[in-house]
Amino acid sequence: MELTLWTYEGPPHVGAMRIATSMKGVHYVLHAPQGDTYADLLFTMIERRDRRPPVTYTTFQARDLGGDTAELVKQSVRDAYERFQPDALLVGESCTAELIQDQPGSLAQGMSLPVPVVPLELPAYSKKENWGASETFYHLVRTLLLPQAPPPGTTREPVGERCAREGRRPRANLLGATALGFRNRDDVREVTRLLHDLGVDVHVCAPLHATVADLRRIPEADFTICLYPEVADTTARWLEKTFRMPIVRTVPIGVLATREFVEEVGRVTGLDVQPLLEHERAGTAQVDASRSLLPWYSRSVDSTYLTGKRVFVFGDATHVLAAARIAKDELGFTVVGIGTYSRELAKPVREYAAQIGVEALISDDYLAVEQRVGVLAPELVLGTQRERHIATRLGVPCAVISAPIHVQDVPARHSPQMGFEGANVIFDTWVHPLMMGLEEHLLHMFRDDFEFGDGAAPSHLHSTAPKAASNHAALASEAVPEAASAVGLAEEEGEELVAVVSSLAEPVVSRWLPLAEAELKKIPFFVRGKARRNTEKYALEHGITEITVDTLYDAKAYYGR
């Protein structure tokens, strides 16, 4: 373990709490010390929930460690059942309680309660939140459905034939949506509407808003849709193996992925989905609220607004893969870097990164992410709440695409990411922070006016943060005076510390002389960024500390060969 001011994922018991909070009639007894109850705030503050998570804490204290903490667990389980009368109980322990080794799940199972008790063994020191959510959902579903499992070797009738014989529409389970998920509530609503248009009924949506009775009805559906693999993949694969339920794995984020999702649903169910796809394609150039305007809008704006914009993408694997594809194939951006904190799904991220010719960043260290952003100097960052802070510090536009999120990413309005309407939301969210080519051209024309100088922000942006630093060493050097002040060093000692750190850090980008800066401004805005980067790279490689007009043109000639 290490001390940090930010973490992309909490410990696995927070993932279990997300499952319990998502559902109705499920209660979670958590063996935890006093002080480990902070997780309540995640749901009541960020998601504005009107009730606390259904969690009972044992809240043992230091003085309890000399006594029988196992009896404390059993008493808490007993009290929770009598007070809340749940339909199922989850029993687990926090990272601190794991060290005591009381095995609360086994203790609860031996109490012969009249409801299903699901013991959770979630290793807090080797796994994280999404893994904990996935394991909790899987064990809950498995505990409830194992008695219904057919004998091994049982075959399942094809979906189309089964529905035709029973005279009904195909039924699908939507799996993976949870509390604290990024726009999960709106995604479920949008995918449900899309499936309805295809002629498919949503049988069970779980864990979000599901009951224990709903989980028991899962095998009645014809197939499963794995909306969020981080949470649902393990459960979906178990249902496929045990109940022979086909899985639709395409995540419908973006126009292209939504079309592929519709086609995959058609293959699984035998439905003719071409009329809907043809209508969607025909409606892209019209104001049709039920279809996506992203393809038409992305073609209609001036090319310098979108084409070639350098984008860095970071978040959970599902949203990163979807966002990178949308950026590259639907909006014409250039993806200069992608990464994820989801180590369990790192492989597909690495494979996609290799496909587009970049190096994937697999890390849950926000400082490594900040350093990569500083080095790549993108023109747009797509990430989590943490990347929003990083981008603000570096003066780069940013859009949030993934959890962890802030309260502002849980809007009251319908704001999905999935489906054709989700593509509309994505277009608005990603493109609006950028500067239109015309606006940038006007700012360039009037750059000598004090109202339109380089320090002036575009009219639609609120941030006046400094321009992106060219490397992470510069950021580290800037932070030293603050650190010196914090530990009480004298001003002279603080300056010496700055000098030492600067000497140990990587070489800082050369300083631009005023005449060189003026000459750089004469270069058209749509290639000016590349010219600046090439010149700074040239100066760094040749040991030039001050960039002059001659350096600018020497670099141009060097890279133009």
Side-chain angles (χ1 to χ4, degrees):
M1 298 182 70
E2 60 182 27
L3 186 63
T4 182
L5 62 83
W6 175 268
T7 177
Y8 288 100
E9 295 182 89
H13 73 263
V14 174
M17 195 176 301
R18 285 171 54 191
I19 301 300
T21 304
S22 302
M23 298 186 62
K24 302 174 183 177
V26 175
H27 199 82
Y28 184 25
V29 177
L30 182 63
H31 192 29
Q34 189 174 31
D36 263 10
T37 59
Y38 61 88
D40 286 11
L41 295 174
L42 295 174
F43 302 94
T44 57
M45 180 182 71
I46 294 179
E47 285 200 325
R48 301 188 182 94
R49 287 182 172 263
D50 58 356
R51 57 189 180 278
R52 290 181 54 199
V55 182
T56 293
Y57 302 90
T58 60
T59 56
F60 61 85
Q61 302 179 47
R63 63 172 178 266
D64 297 320
L65 298 179
D68 189 358
T69 52
E71 183 58 36
L72 181 61
V73 171
K74 292 192 284 187
Q75 185 61 47
S76 298
V77 170
R78 194 176 298 113
D79 292 345
Y81 172 73
E82 292 175 357
R83 178 181 179 185
F84 297 104
Q85 296 292 305
D87 298 318
L89 265 177
L90 305 174
V91 182
E93 56 198 346
S94 72
C95 45
T96 309
E98 183 181 331
L99 301 174
I100 305 175
Q101 298 183 345
D102 277 332
Q103 297 183 319
S106 299
L107 292 173
Q109 275 188 314
M111 295 175 62
S112 301
L113 295 175
V115 295
V117 175
V118 181
L120 300 176
E121 296 184 6
L122 307 175
Y125 297 97
S126 59
K127 298 295 184 179
K128 294 293 184 72
E129 179 181 328
N130 280 336
W131 183 89
S134 175
E135 285 293 295
T136 301
F137 186 45
Y138 163 68
H139 284 291
L140 179 58
V141 170
R142 190 176 187 275
T143 298
L144 296 173
L145 295 186
L146 201 55
Q148 303 180 35
T154 303
T155 60
R156 191 180 182 95
E157 190 177 6
V159 175
E161 295 177 12
R162 182 182 180 187
C163 295
R165 178 172 54 81
E166 298 178 3
R168 59 171 176 80
R169 287 155 55 108
R171 295 191 291 247
N173 295 318
L174 300 183
L175 302 185
T178 69
L180 282 183
F182 184 66
R183 308 286 173 84
N184 285 189
R185 173 201 67 189
D186 299 334
D187 285 346
V188 166
R189 188 188 311 171
E190 192 61 31
V191 172
T192 299
R193 184 174 71 172
L194 178 60
L195 291 172
H196 179 271
D197 291 345
L198 289 172
V200 177
D201 296 327
V202 173
H203 186 61
V204 171
C205 174
L208 192 64
H209 305 319
T211 64
V212 171
D214 290 334
L215 296 188
R216 288 195 170 104
R217 295 190 299 113
I218 283 178
E220 299 171 5
D222 299 301
F223 65 103
T224 292
I225 296 175
C226 186
L227 283 184
Y228 305 98
E230 283 84 356
V231 175
D233 183 65
T234 301
T235 302
R237 285 190 286 107
W238 183 78
L239 291 171
E240 181 182 41
K241 178 181 178 181
T242 307
F243 292 91
R244 306 296 186 268
M245 298 185 69
I247 306 174
V248 171
R249 294 189 176 278
T250 303
V251 179
I253 301 180
V255 174
L256 296 178
T258 300
R259 290 172 182 166
E260 292 170 3
F261 169 82
V262 169
E263 291 170 350
E264 187 174 0
V265 170
R267 288 194 298 272
V268 169
T269 61
L271 295 173
D272 181 11
V273 299
Q274 290 307 311
L276 184 141
L277 292 175
E278 291 171 2
H279 174 61
E280 187 275 329
R281 290 190 182 97
T284 54
Q286 304 170 10
V287 181
D288 184 348
S290 66
R291 299 293 171 255
S292 177
L293 297 174
L294 184 149
W296 169 247
Y297 277 9
S298 63
R299 292 195 301 267
S300 66
V301 299
D302 62 281
S303 62
T304 55
Y305 198 0
L306 302 178
T307 305
K309 291 284 187 183
R310 296 164 50 83
V311 179
F312 176 81
V313 189
F314 191 88
D316 69 60
T318 294
H319 287 92
V320 161
L321 290 170
R325 184 183 182 190
I326 295 169
K328 177 179 178 293
D329 298 337
E330 300 185 34
L331 294 177
F333 293 145
T334 298
V335 179
V336 296
I338 66 171
T340 182
Y341 56 80
S342 304
R343 295 187 181 276
E344 292 79 14
L345 295 175
K347 182 178 179 180
V349 176
R350 285 196 178 99
E351 290 174 347
Y352 185 81
Q355 180 182 330
I356 63 175
V358 301
E359 180 184 358
L361 174 63
I362 312 299
S363 176
D364 57 4
D365 182 356
Y366 72 96
L367 291 175
V369 178
E370 182 168 359
Q371 182 178 20
R372 183 66 64 88
V373 174
V375 169
L376 294 175
E379 295 165 276
L380 175 66
V381 173
L382 304 174
T384 72
Q385 168 69 3
R386 181 67 234 177
E387 280 64 53
R388 175 188 280 138
H389 291 313
I390 292 172
T392 300
R393 172 177 171 79
L394 299 179
V396 181
C398 178
V400 174
I401 63 161
S402 163
I405 55 176
H406 190 261
V407 64
Q408 69 193 83
D409 301 308
V410 188
R413 67 187 184 280
H414 181 57
S415 187
Q417 298 292 284
M418 293 186 177
F420 295 120
E421 179 60 23
N424 292 337
V425 174
I426 287 172
F427 180 88
D428 291 342
T429 306
W430 296 10
V431 173
H432 287 177
L434 298 174
M435 190 190 301
M436 290 188 66
L438 177 59
E439 182 175 11
E440 188 168 358
H441 182 60
L442 290 173
L443 289 174
H444 173 68
M445 287 178 61
F446 294 98
R447 64 185 181 277
D448 295 328
D449 191 300
F450 73 94
E451 293 186 63
F452 298 97
D454 286 344
S459 61
H460 60 296
L461 298 180
H462 303 293
S463 173
T464 57
K467 294 181 180 179
S470 297
N471 63 41
H472 197 60
L475 299 180
S477 298
E478 291 172 8
V480 170
E482 299 176 9
S485 176
V487 299
L489 294 177
E491 184 176 352
E492 295 80 3
E493 294 173 322
E495 291 175 355
E496 292 178 3
L497 182 59
V498 173
V500 171
V501 172
S502 299
S503 65
L504 295 176
E506 297 178 5
V508 179
V509 169
S510 306
R511 183 172 65 91
W512 284 75
L513 296 182
L515 289 178
E517 282 277 11
E519 192 69 15
L520 179 66
K521 293 175 183 178
K522 297 178 182 179
I523 298 174
F525 63 86
F526 49 86
V527 293
R528 192 182 307 147
K530 182 177 181 180
R532 175 183 285 275
R533 289 190 298 272
N534 284 347
T535 304
E536 291 174 349
K537 181 180 178 182
Y538 175 85
L540 190 62
E541 291 176 350
H542 291 76
I544 299 173
T545 58
E546 293 185 338
I547 296 177
T548 65
V549 175
D550 290 339
T551 309
L552 177 63
Y553 285 101
D554 287 344
K556 178 182 178 182
Y558 178 80
Y559 288 107
R561 288 183 297 193

